[in-house]
Amino acid sequence: MSALPDMRNRNITVIGDVMLDRFWSGASRRMSPEAPVPVVNVTKQEDRAGGAGNVAVNLAELGVSVSLVGLCGEDEHARALRACVEAAGVRWNVMPCAAETIVKLRALSRNQQLLRMDFEESLADYANDLFVRYAQQHLADADLVIFSDYAKGSLELVQPLLARCRELGKPTLVDPKGLEFERYRGATVLTPNLAELEAIVGRCDSEAVLIEKADAVRASLDIEAILVTRSEAGMTLIQSGEAPQHFTASAREVFDVTGAGDTVIAVMAGCLSAGLSMHDAAHFANHAAGVVVAKLGTASVTPAELQSAAAVPRLNTGQDVMSESELASALADLRSTGKRVVMTNGCFDLIHPGHIRYLQQAAALGDVLVVAVNDDDSVRRLKGASRPLNTVSDRMAVLAALEAVDFVVPFSEDTPERVIEVLAPDVLVKGGDYSIEQIAGHESVLQRGGEVRTLNFFAGHSTTGLIERLQD
């Protein structure tokens, strides 16, 4: 995994819906006598840039030289918004119009949001040919262009702007809104959240369906890549000519998701402008989201916070049971920090002392222990119709609860050879009743320069023996 690049010599233009995020906060110690609502004694007001402005501020925090282009009124709120943006070091190139500046007002008490009030009108009437020509003036010096669409109307004519970026050879990232993704045709990267994507393609009940539908959208719109943000399920990157890649959510604590999508697209863009690959840029964007959701309100992430978050291995996150693609991404992150991955497999139908000792020995051979578990059908094929006694989900849950085990993944074949090749462990282990030549997957591990080990077989402990004693 690449290191976080220095972005201080990069230049990015952000075009989109700008708005003022205003926060009123104070103590709340009683309920209103007029209605069943809390009374907040407001003692503090804080203004922050919202929408496209928050994207620009996030970029400036990373050291990027940023120009902000959009539409807003000529009023007190516009002046407050401009002050927020320029205080962060962003160039204010927002075109004034006759509309009132969009404001999102939030009431908070004890760091909890109680109410949000939006003051807005559509800007679509002002996003005309004049604005397109104005915005195009700010494209020439950009290494990359971001379009931040909050469905407020500033990007009503986004297609001519995208077309001009293509003519100039400028990569473009779009945070989309609405039901007409056709208007974003030809963008380089689209960053919808799962709900936004499902509004276009229908419900995605599995990761396979999500990948299939997202890739169909990508291909039909001539887009190079789609990064789908999926809240606690992490992110999925689908790009032309590459296998889909999943990034497990890195947040330890979710405090406030306000503006998290702005941080994702900003970090993704900053990393791409500095020369990182799509995968590495998405890796840092995923960790940035994990940092920013632990902060209150519209927030950004510093390079130091991002570098620190990306360097922390994702162990003991409460998400130890994973799909293959999730686990492959997690292991890639861990290997980038020098972690040694150990892998074993089995049915693990009834956990007994022999299993515990074996798994402890396996864990001692490296930094991370992965256990691949036969699903129910494969156990029946191997052990007979009466097995397993416990479902695969129950067996994996028990394994994940063991201190020695870091990650658990299911497989459906009779042997784990395929999943071993996908996950590429540094060390592959089995019990002492196997020879190395009998261990499924040993060839691929050895060919990569890995190690295959057999561990002590603990006599007197077996699931079959336990079942026989119970029957007796």
Side-chain angles (χ1 to χ4, degrees), residues 47 77-89 92:
D47 292 337
H77 295 130
R79 290 187 288 274
L81 175 57
R82 181 170 184 171
C84 293
V85 167
E86 292 185 335
W92 177 267

Side-chain angles (χ1 to χ4, degrees), residues 407-425:
F407 296 110
V408 186
V409 63
F411 66 94
S412 58
E413 300 89 349
D414 290 346
T415 78
E417 185 170 356
R418 182 193 55 79
V419 72
I420 288 169
E421 187 167 353
V422 170
L423 300 179

Side-chain angles (χ1 to χ4, degrees), residues 12-17 51-52 55 59 69 131-132 135-136 139 144-150 154-166 170-177 183-191 261-262 265 269:
I12 293 178
T13 295
V14 180
I15 305 175
D17 295 309
V55 177
L59 284 164
V69 178
F131 174 68
V132 170
Q136 287 176 339
L139 300 178
L144 180 150
V145 181
I146 296 176
F147 294 92
S148 177
D149 196 344
Y150 270 75
S154 301
L155 296 177
E156 185 73 10
L157 298 179
V158 66
Q159 186 53 225
L161 293 172
L162 284 168
R164 181 56 179 159
C165 288
R166 289 195 299 274
K170 310 291 184 182
T172 52
L173 276 72
V174 179
D175 189 356
K177 286 291 183 294
R183 59 205 299 264
Y184 308 120
R185 172 176 292 278
T188 307
V189 182
L190 215 59
T191 64
D262 298 336
I265 197 169

Side-chain angles (χ1 to χ4, degrees), residues 174-413:
V174 179
D175 189 356
K177 286 291 183 294
L179 301 177
E180 296 294 333
F181 279 15
E182 174 66 32
R183 59 205 299 264
Y184 308 120
R185 172 176 292 278
T188 307
V189 182
L190 215 59
T191 64
N193 61 40
L194 181 59
E196 290 164 345
L197 180 68
E198 288 186 328
I200 300 294
V201 303
R203 186 170 177 81
C204 300
D205 293 319
S206 68
E207 189 170 307
V209 172
L210 167 65
I211 291 169
E212 179 184 0
K213 291 185 175 182
D215 193 50
V217 170
R218 183 204 61 74
S220 68
L221 297 180
D222 192 24
I223 289 171
E224 186 174 333
I226 292 183
L227 179 66
V228 185
T229 56
R230 301 166 60 188
S231 301
E232 69 278 359
M235 301 180 185
T236 300
L237 176 66
I238 298 100
Q239 57 180 319
S240 176
E242 299 285 345
Q245 294 161 321
H246 184 78
F247 303 85
T248 304
S250 65
R252 302 299 192 269
E253 178 181 12
V254 177
F255 190 69
D256 190 339
V257 299
T258 303
D262 298 336
T263 300
V264 168
I265 197 169
V267 172
M268 183 84 173
C271 290
L272 289 175
S273 72
L276 290 194
S277 67
M278 288 279 187
H279 174 273
D280 287 0
H283 163 81
F284 282 111
N286 180 53
H287 283 292
V291 172
V292 81
V293 297
K295 299 182 179 183
L296 177 64
T298 316
S300 56
V301 58
T302 67
E305 288 174 327
L306 183 51
Q307 188 68 69
S308 175
V312 175
R314 287 179 295 190
L315 298 177
N316 302 317
T317 62
Q319 299 178 2
D320 300 337
V321 177
M322 294 186 173
S323 68
E324 279 183 38
S325 61
E326 290 174 328
L327 184 52
S329 176
L331 294 181
D333 288 352
L334 289 163
R335 286 194 193 90
S336 71
T337 65
K339 300 301 180 184
R340 179 175 165 93
V341 177
V342 182
M343 185 172 177
T344 189
N345 67 277
C347 300
F348 297 97
D349 198 2
L350 286 178
I351 300 295
H352 52 68
H355 287 137
I356 301 298
R357 294 173 191 169
Y358 168 76
L359 292 171
Q360 288 171 338
Q361 279 194 351
L365 297 175
D367 303 298
V368 181
L369 177 59
V370 176
V371 181
V373 182
N374 296 74
D375 72 3
D376 295 342
D377 287 339
S378 69
V379 173
R380 278 189 282 270
R381 291 193 299 270
L382 293 170
K383 304 288 187 178
S386 63
R387 301 279 298 276
L389 300 179
N390 294 298
T391 65
V392 66
S393 59
D394 288 343
R395 289 181 281 128
M396 290 194 299
V398 172
L399 284 164
L402 298 178
E403 185 177 359
V405 177
D406 294 303
F407 296 110
V408 186
V409 63
F411 66 94
S412 58
E413 300 89 349

